[in-house]
Amino acid sequence: MIGDALMGLLQPRKTLPPKLLYDETGCRLFGDITALPEYYLTRTELSILRRLGPSLRAHVPAHGWMVEYGASSSLKAAIVLRQLDRPAGYIPIDIAPDALASVQSDLHPDFPSLEILPICADFLRPVELPAPARDARIFGFFPGSTIGNLEPTAATAFLRLARATLGPGALFLVGADLRKPADRLLPAYDDAQGVTAAFNLNLLTRLNREAGANFDLDRFAHRALWNDAESRVEMHLVSLADQSVRLGRQHITFRRGETIHTENSYKHAPEAFDRIAAAAGWRTIERWTDDDGLFALTLLGGTPGA
Ligand code: AVI
């Protein structure tokens, strides 16, 4: 971890890897973010998922297997599984073994005949589906707009990998936040209660604890900004003073106002999303959005020959 952090902090434009945001405290704070009034993403996606019903069932064959990327809770899976026609199996993929264990035990009572085969893995790397799913009809599911945290080229690379994992006949339902005016986006990433600020600053607490750093948390502040050219919300930590910080054996200097860029959240218009998916061999079959056009769930299918 210290190597990754140092590499980013020694660049002319300082960065830290976004995955470092998600230690135990970070995961808890992210859970709190999803319930904030300003963070419309989660509740909007849930409302769309609950209404999919027959329009999703029209595309997804009976007795198939659902594969979920980033399955840290059973909530969304349960909503979707309930609307599918007699699903045979469910494969949650997540990096956290504890989360996978609870997903499995939470789902079992409601879906006693569903075969659940969790895979503990980083889904940005190649993953092999277990034998019972290999000849089945596969329905991939990637909710939460996590795809928006990837650079467009990384999003395409992920979608290409998912196409190889899920197989040529698979369908893939992907949740993504939509491009919209900055005055709606920014409060979602800079809430009145300061939960997102605590989430971002926790990264420095983590480096102090795990990487021998001595960041003074009173001398950094959370900042969210809209980068229109890149179509993304950026999270930064701004240095409030000229200062020097130790990380392991290195000293990193900060000028007042200089920032550490910690996360991107891309907001793609539907056609931009379709282009990213097409570059990875997927075509859009159907898209569901809420009445205000805030969030989209896009059903992708393979492009023949791609
Ligand atoms: C996990 N991901 C979809 C969140 C997002 O909206 O980009 C992470 C997040 N960062 C700050 N608030 C939420």
Side-chain angles (χ1 to χ4, degrees), residues 21-22 30 33 39 41 144-146 148-149 188-189 196 199 235 263-265 267:
L21 290 162
Y22 297 91
F30 177 62
I33 288 173
Y39 196 79
L41 287 81
S145 200
T146 306
N149 297 124
Y189 292 85
T196 312
F199 172 68
M235 285 208 315
E263 190 183 53
N264 289 318
S265 212
K267 309 297 172 184

Side-chain angles (χ1 to χ4, degrees), residues 8-292:
L9 292 175
L10 293 172
Q11 302 297 317
R13 288 179 171 209
K14 295 181 171 63
T15 61
L16 279 169
K19 65 177 181 209
L20 294 184
L21 290 162
Y22 297 91
D23 64 351
E24 205 184 322
T25 308
C27 289
R28 183 178 50 73
L29 287 167
F30 177 62
D32 295 346
I33 288 173
T34 62
L36 288 169
E38 297 94 331
Y39 196 79
Y40 59 85
L41 287 81
T42 310
R43 63 173 178 278
T44 308
E45 182 177 47
L46 286 170
S47 76
I48 303 169
L49 286 173
R50 288 194 180 100
R51 288 187 284 106
L52 289 178
S55 56
L56 178 65
R57 236 182 347 262
H59 297 289
V60 183
H63 307 292
W65 279 66
M66 179 161 114
V67 177
E68 182 176 358
Y69 286 88
S72 56
S73 116
S74 61
L75 177 66
K76 293 173 191 174
I79 292 170
V80 175
L81 284 164
R82 223 167 260 129
Q83 299 179 77
L84 297 179
D85 188 1
R86 291 159 289 165
Y90 168 56
I91 301 174
I93 307 176
D94 202 89
I95 194 92
D98 297 353
L100 283 174
S102 2
V103 165
Q104 188 163 23
S105 57
D106 289 352
L107 283 178
H108 182 69
D110 288 338
F111 303 91
S113 58
L114 186 76
E115 197 168 348
I116 305 180
L117 298 176
I119 298 180
C120 189
D122 173 358
F123 59 69
L124 295 178
R125 295 175 186 277
V127 175
E128 205 182 318
L129 295 186
R134 264 179 236 147
D135 297 322
R137 301 305 302 268
I138 301 290
F139 168 65
F141 181 40
F142 188 32
S145 200
T146 306
I147 195 153
N149 297 124
L150 302 174
E151 304 283 326
T153 48
T156 297
F158 162 74
L159 288 171
R160 198 175 294 123
L161 206 58
R163 184 142 154 68
T165 302
L166 301 175
L171 297 167
F172 199 13
L173 183 66
V174 182
D177 196 16
L178 291 169
R179 190 179 155 95
K180 59 182 68 62
D183 60 356
R184 184 71 205 256
L185 282 166
L186 285 176
Y189 292 85
D190 195 5
D191 61 281
Q193 292 170 59
V195 183
T196 312
F199 172 68
N200 199 8
L201 283 160
N202 175 56
L203 219 163
L204 302 184
T205 310
R206 181 174 186 187
L207 290 179
N208 286 350
R209 188 180 61 240
E210 296 179 30
N214 67 345
F215 285 96
D216 177 350
L217 269 75
D218 292 330
R219 301 179 104 199
F220 286 89
H222 166 68
R223 181 185 291 165
L225 58 89
W226 171 243
N227 182 332
D228 192 59
E230 299 289 343
S231 202
R232 68 190 188 201
V233 175
E234 299 178 2
M235 285 208 315
H236 292 256
L237 289 163
V238 192
S239 175
L240 300 177
D242 290 337
Q243 55 182 317
S244 167
V245 175
R246 178 170 43 77
L247 184 76
R249 290 176 186 189
Q250 291 271 352
H251 284 271
I252 320 249
T253 55
F254 291 88
R255 282 173 286 104
R256 182 164 176 265
E258 188 177 0
T259 78
I260 311 172
H261 186 172
T262 53
E263 190 183 53
N264 289 318
S265 212
Y266 283 85
K267 309 297 172 184
H268 301 297
E271 35 315 336
F273 181 92
D274 291 349
R275 274 196 300 275
I276 289 170
W282 294 99
R283 77 197 152 88
T284 295
I285 296 175
E286 190 158 350
R287 172 171 290 117
W288 297 272
T289 62
D290 54 294
D291 293 344
D292 297 322

